[in-house]
Amino acid sequence: MLRTGTSSLRTNALLRRLVPPLAVAALWWGGTIQGAGAQTLTVWDDNALPSQAKVITDINAKFEAAHPGVKIARTARTFDDLAMTLKLTLSTGEGPAVTKANQGAQEMGAMVKQKLLLPIDDYIKKYGWDKKQSDSVLARDRWSEKGEFGTGPTYGISALGELVGLYYNAKVLKEAGIDKPPATLDELAKDVETLKAKGAVPFTIGLTKGHMSLHMYAALSQAMIGAADRKGLDDLVYGRGGSWNTPSYIAAAKQIQDWANGGAFNDGYQGIADDDAVQLFVGGQGAFQVTGTWRLGDMQANPDIHFMALPPAAGVKDPLVVGGVELAWAITALAKDKATQDLAGDYINYLLSDDAAAAWAAAGYLPVAALEKPDKVQIPALLGETIKVWNTVNAANALGHYPDWASPTMLKTLSDGLTRVIAKEDTPEVFVAAVDKDYQGYIASLKK
C-alpha cells in the first residue's frame, strides 16, 4: 500500500499516462464548510502500516488546517480487523461516518443490501471524480438494488491503485546464477529449482496472518488468462455466472501445493505472519515474494528489490494481473444530516486531490490517477517500475480481480481451502470444487 531516487522526464510522462489526464480537483481547499461549525468526522481506514499511517496522518492534518473547527477522529484497522468489525458495528448504529470498505459481495455488497452505505453519485458529479477515474474502475464500487455487482449506484471510490505482482531480489537471483527475472511461468518454475539447488529460498511467504497464499493463487491463475479471454472471470466476479471448476484454477492450486511441499517456501512459513514475511524478504531472505503494491513502502528499504507482473503462462498474451484499486472510501448511513454528508464528501474529495496523491507518490505508493504536477514530486525508483506495469496492464485491458469479491463467503472459502491444499489435506480438485460450490450457492440465492 520508497525507493530513493529522483523524478525524471520519463517517469513524469509515465505518471501522466497512468489513466486519462486529471481534471483539477474541485476546490477541496475552499475553506470551512459553511454552517458546519465545530464538527468531528469519524473515519475508519486500513492504513495500518507505519509508512501508510504517516501519509494519512499528514493528509488529515492538512484537511483540518483548511477547515477550521473540523476534527478528523481517525481509527486505523488492519484489513482483517476492518472486515470483522465494520458491518457489525454499523448495524448497531455505531462506528464511522466515513470508512474504507472492501468492494466485494462480502462487505460492500452486504452493507448496501442492509442500507448501511450511502450512494456517492451526487459527489462524483459535484467534484468531477468521474474525470479522474475511468468508468470501469468506478464500476467496482457499484451495486444495484437487486444485488448486482458492477451496476447501479456508486457506493465508494479509491485514491490508490493496486496490483498484486512479483517482487524479486536481483542480488539473490544473481548470486544463484540467474541474470534476469523470469519471462514466463515455466521460466519461474525453472528459477525456483535453480534457487533450491543453490541453497537459496525461492519464495518468502507467511500464512498465519494476512492473505499471501490467496494472492499467490489469484496471481497464478490469472496469469493463465489473456485479456482477450477475460469475460469468464469478469462474469464470475460480477455475479453473472460461470464456473470456477476449470483447468487453470486447478493448475494454480496444484502449483502452490507443489511449491509448498517441494521446499520452495522459507522455513517455518506456516507460523509466520505476512508482515513478518515481508520484513524477512526486505532483509534479503528470499528471491521472490508475491504480494501487492500496498507493500511498496516496506520494500523501499532494499534497493535490490524490484517489481513486475507475474509472468504469463506459455502462449498467453496480455495476461491478467490481479488488482485494480485499494479499498474504497465510502460514506456510511451514520452521516445522517446533509452537513455531515457534505463534510464527508469534501473530505473524500481531498483524499482524491492532487495534493494527497502527491503525498502518496512521494512515499512510494501508486495513485489511481495521474499527478497534475509530477515535476513537483520526487518519485521513488520502485514506484517508477510499478507505474510502467500499471500503464502496460491498463493499456491492454488486463486489470484482473480479487476472487474473494465473488461471494459473501468466498474469502473464507478460498483462505481455508488453500490452507488445506498446502497441507496436502485436500487435492487441488477438491479445493476448486468447494470454491465453485460456494459460488453456485450464492448465484442461486440471487435468483430467489
Side-chain angles (χ1 to χ4, degrees):
M1 73 176 193
L2 285 194
R3 231 24 347 99
T4 55
T6 58
S7 60
S8 65
L9 291 176
R10 184 179 181 186
T11 301
N12 292 335
L14 287 167
L15 272 168
R16 293 187 183 99
R17 297 197 302 271
L18 270 170
V19 290
L22 299 180
V24 175
L27 297 179
W28 62 266
W29 199 259
T32 307
I33 294 181
Q34 296 300 315
Q39 191 169 358
T40 296
L41 188 68
T42 55
V43 176
W44 286 11
D45 65 54
D46 65 333
N47 301 125
L49 298 174
S51 55
Q52 297 170 332
K54 184 181 185 306
V55 176
I56 196 67
T57 298
D58 290 345
I59 286 172
N60 287 347
K62 287 185 177 181
F63 181 82
E64 290 174 341
H67 295 74
V70 172
K71 173 67 176 177
I72 302 298
R74 172 182 178 254
T75 299
R77 297 183 181 276
T78 64
F79 173 89
D80 287 325
D81 188 26
L82 191 64
M84 288 172 54
T85 59
L86 179 59
K87 183 171 61 174
L88 179 62
T89 304
L90 291 176
S91 299
T92 68
E94 303 293 335
V98 175
T99 188
K100 296 285 283 295
N102 197 1
Q103 291 88 338
Q106 72 273 27
E107 288 190 40
M108 184 176 284
M111 288 188 286
V112 168
K113 185 176 181 180
Q114 296 177 35
K115 301 187 183 304
L116 299 175
L117 301 180
L118 301 179
I120 62 167
D121 297 275
D122 287 347
Y123 296 110
I124 291 175
K125 182 178 180 180
K126 175 181 179 181
Y127 293 111
W129 296 340
D130 55 343
K131 296 178 176 64
K132 294 179 177 232
Q133 301 187 17
S134 68
D135 191 69
S136 63
V137 169
L138 291 173
R140 296 171 185 239
D141 295 294
R142 291 183 180 138
W143 286 88
S144 75
E145 292 182 358
K146 297 179 180 179
E148 299 162 319
F149 190 15
T151 186
T154 314
Y155 288 90
I157 191 167
S158 302
L160 298 179
E162 282 187 356
L163 297 171
V164 174
L166 185 69
Y167 290 93
Y168 65 94
N169 187 315
K171 180 180 179 182
V172 173
L173 291 179
K174 185 175 181 180
E175 289 173 347
I178 301 170
D179 295 327
K180 59 183 180 179
T184 65
L185 284 181
D186 287 341
E187 286 187 19
L188 177 60
K190 290 179 182 178
D191 287 347
V192 167
E193 295 306 311
T194 298
L195 289 160
K196 286 164 54 180
K198 296 290 186 178
V201 175
F203 288 102
T204 307
I205 190 170
L207 301 185
T208 62
K209 184 180 178 183
H211 302 282
M212 279 191 161
S213 62
L214 173 55
H215 293 144
M216 178 179 280
Y217 175 71
L220 280 169
S221 60
Q222 292 180 38
M224 302 177 192
I225 303 171
D229 302 313
R230 64 172 299 142
K231 184 178 184 301
L233 178 63
D234 288 342
D235 286 348
L236 286 168
V237 171
Y238 286 122
R240 296 192 286 258
S243 175
W244 293 94
N245 206 342
T246 66
S248 62
Y249 295 116
I250 293 172
K254 186 177 188 308
Q255 182 63 85
I256 292 175
Q257 187 178 68
D258 290 346
W259 278 340
N261 291 277
F265 294 170
N266 48 293
D267 290 341
Y269 67 89
Q270 302 95 328
I272 296 174
D274 58 345
D275 288 346
D276 296 326
V278 169
Q279 294 309 312
L280 289 173
F281 182 68
V282 170
Q285 298 188 43
F288 300 115
Q289 187 165 83
V290 178
T291 188
T293 52
W294 55 88
R295 293 292 186 177
L296 287 168
D298 298 289
M299 300 295 180
Q300 70 175 336
N302 189 335
D304 295 317
I305 292 175
H306 302 272
F307 181 83
M308 61 180 284
L310 204 76
V316 174
K317 182 181 179 182
D318 298 324
L320 299 186
V321 178
V322 179
V325 288
E326 63 167 345
L327 301 190
W329 290 99
I331 301 174
T332 79
L334 296 183
K336 297 184 183 299
D337 58 84
K338 188 67 164 55
T340 302
Q341 293 167 17
D342 285 348
L343 177 60
D346 198 43
Y347 174 65
I348 293 175
N349 188 52
Y350 180 51
L351 294 170
L352 301 176
S353 71
D354 193 61
D355 187 71
W360 283 114
Y365 290 93
L366 179 66
V368 74
L371 296 174
E372 294 174 12
K373 299 177 181 178
D375 295 339
K376 303 297 184 181
V377 183
Q378 182 171 315
I379 304 299
L382 189 59
L383 177 58
E385 294 177 6
T386 307
I387 289 168
K388 292 180 183 180
V389 178
W390 177 263
N391 290 338
T392 299
V393 169
N394 280 279
N397 190 33
L399 196 61
H401 294 286
Y402 295 103
D404 57 284
W405 287 1
S407 89
T409 52
M410 190 61 76
L411 179 61
K412 179 174 174 55
T413 298
L414 286 164
S415 298
D416 292 352
L418 284 168
T419 297
R420 291 192 294 271
V421 166
I422 289 171
K424 298 191 78 171
E425 295 174 0
D426 280 346
T427 65
E429 291 80 5
V430 168
F431 162 68
V432 172
V435 171
D436 196 54
K437 181 179 179 181
D438 178 309
Y439 183 73
Q440 301 305 334
Y442 173 60
I443 294 298
S445 72
L446 296 177
K447 298 176 181 178
K448 292 181 179 178

